C-alpha cells in the first residue's frame, strides 16, 4: 500500500507541476492538512468517550451479559472455539463495538481476539476457520449506529448527519451476511 500511495502522490505532484497548477497544489496541501487536524480533534473526544464507556461496560459485567446473549450465534459461527475460552468474550466485545459503529473502540478487543484465536490455532501460519470468520465479521460489521460517520458529517456541517443510519444498517447487514455465507461455503468446499 505504501508503494501505491507513494506513486499516486508523486504522480499527482508531477502532473500538477507539469500542467502549471502549483498554486492549486499548494493550497490543496495546506487545506487538507488543516482539515485532517480539525477532524482529528473533533473525533478525539468522541473516541475517548466511547472507549471509556466500553471499559465501563466491561468492568460492570455488561460485556459478559452481551456475551451470554450472543453465545448461541457465536456457537454456530465459531464451533471450534470452546464456550469458556476468552476468545469468545473478545469477539463479542468487538462485535458489540462494531454494531454501534465504534471501530476505534473495537480495535483493542479485535487484537485480543486475534491473539486468542492464534493461540488456539497453535500459532500456525495458516488461518483457521475461526480466524477467517472473525476477520470477515470484523471487516463487514453490522452497524446500527455509525457514530464515526455521523461525527464526520456533523463536523462538515451536514444538515442531517444521522440520515446515514438506515442505509448503513441495510448495507452492513447485507455485507455481513454475504461474508458469513462465503466463509461457510469455503469451509465446506475445503472439507470435500
Amino acid at each position: 500500500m505504501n508503494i501505491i500511495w507513494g506513486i499516486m502522490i508523486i504522480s499527482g505532484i508531477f502532473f500538477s507541476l507539469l500542467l502549471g497548477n502549483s498554486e492549486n497544489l499548494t493550497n490543496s496541501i495546506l487545506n487538507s492538512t488543516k482539515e485532517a487536524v480539525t477532524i482529528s480533534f473533533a473525533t478525539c473526544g468522541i473516541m475517548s468517550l466511547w472507549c471509556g464507556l466500553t471499559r465501563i461496560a466491561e468492568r460492570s459485567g455488561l460485556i459478559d451479559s452481551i456475551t451470554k446473549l450472543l453465545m448461541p450465534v457465536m456457537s454456530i459461527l465459531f464451533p471450534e472455539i470452546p464456550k469458556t475460552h476468552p476468545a469468545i468474550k473478545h469477539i463479542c466485545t468487538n462485535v458489540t463495538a462494531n454494531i454501534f459503529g465504534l471501530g476505534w473502540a473495537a480495535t483493542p478487543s479485535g487484537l485480543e481476539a486475534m491473539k486468542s484465536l492464534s493461540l488456539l490455532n497453535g500459532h500456525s501460519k495458516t488461518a483457521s476457520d475461526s480466524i477467517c470468520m472473525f476477520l470477515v465479521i470484523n471487516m463487514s460489521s453490522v452497524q446500527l449506529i455509525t457514530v464515526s460517520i455521523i461525527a464526520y458529517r456533523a463536523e462538515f456541517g451536514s444538515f442531517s448527519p444521522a440520515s446515514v443510519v438506515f442505509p448503513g444498517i441495510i448495507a452492513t447487514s447485507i455485507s455481513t451476511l454475504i461474508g458469513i455465507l462465503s466463509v461457510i461455503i469455503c469451509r465446506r468446499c475445503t472439507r470435500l
Side-chain angles (χ1 to χ4, degrees):
M1 285 302 289
N2 290 339
I3 293 171
I4 293 170
W5 280 107
I7 290 170
M8 288 172 52
I9 291 169
I10 291 169
S11 59
I13 292 170
F14 173 76
F15 283 109
S16 179
L17 294 174
L18 184 69
L19 298 172
N21 290 330
S22 59
E23 186 177 335
N24 289 340
L25 174 67
T26 304
N27 290 336
S28 188
I29 290 171
L30 293 175
N31 289 335
S32 297
T33 54
K34 179 183 171 188
E35 285 179 15
V37 170
T38 302
I39 291 170
S40 297
F41 280 123
T43 57
C44 190
I46 296 168
M47 183 174 93
S48 299
L49 171 71
W50 285 103
C51 285
L53 288 175
T54 301
R55 183 67 70 196
I56 290 168
E58 187 177 315
R59 290 187 180 170
S60 70
L62 183 61
I63 298 296
D64 291 330
S65 299
I66 292 170
T67 302
K68 288 176 186 173
L69 281 173
L70 293 175
M71 190 55 74
V73 175
M74 293 299 148
S75 296
I76 293 168
L77 295 176
F78 301 96
E80 56 277 346
I81 300 177
K83 291 182 181 183
T84 57
H85 197 276
I88 291 290
K89 183 177 179 180
H90 297 307
I91 291 169
C92 288
T93 304
N94 178 271
V95 168
T96 303
N98 277 325
I99 284 173
F100 292 107
L102 308 171
W104 53 75
T107 301
S109 57
L111 293 172
E112 289 300 319
M114 285 302 290
K115 285 180 190 173
S116 297
L117 292 172
S118 179
L119 183 66
L120 277 173
N121 195 29
H123 297 290
S124 172
K125 292 188 180 197
T126 304
S128 67
D129 290 344
S130 294
I131 290 174
C132 294
M133 182 63 79
F134 175 67
L135 286 173
V136 165
I137 290 171
N138 184 52
M139 296 307 292
S140 62
S141 69
V142 171
Q143 294 185 3
L144 299 180
I145 304 168
T146 51
V147 174
S148 56
I149 301 301
I150 292 170
Y152 294 142
R153 288 172 54 93
E155 180 63 31
F156 284 107
S158 173
F159 292 112
S160 180
S163 65
V164 296
V165 171
F166 186 66
I169 291 170
I170 292 170
T172 58
S173 296
I174 291 170
S175 68
T176 301
L177 181 62
I178 290 171
I180 289 170
L181 290 174
S182 298
V183 172
I184 290 170
I185 290 168
C186 287
R187 270 186 196 167
R188 292 197 177 150
C189 288
T190 57
R191 290 186 182 146
L192 293 178

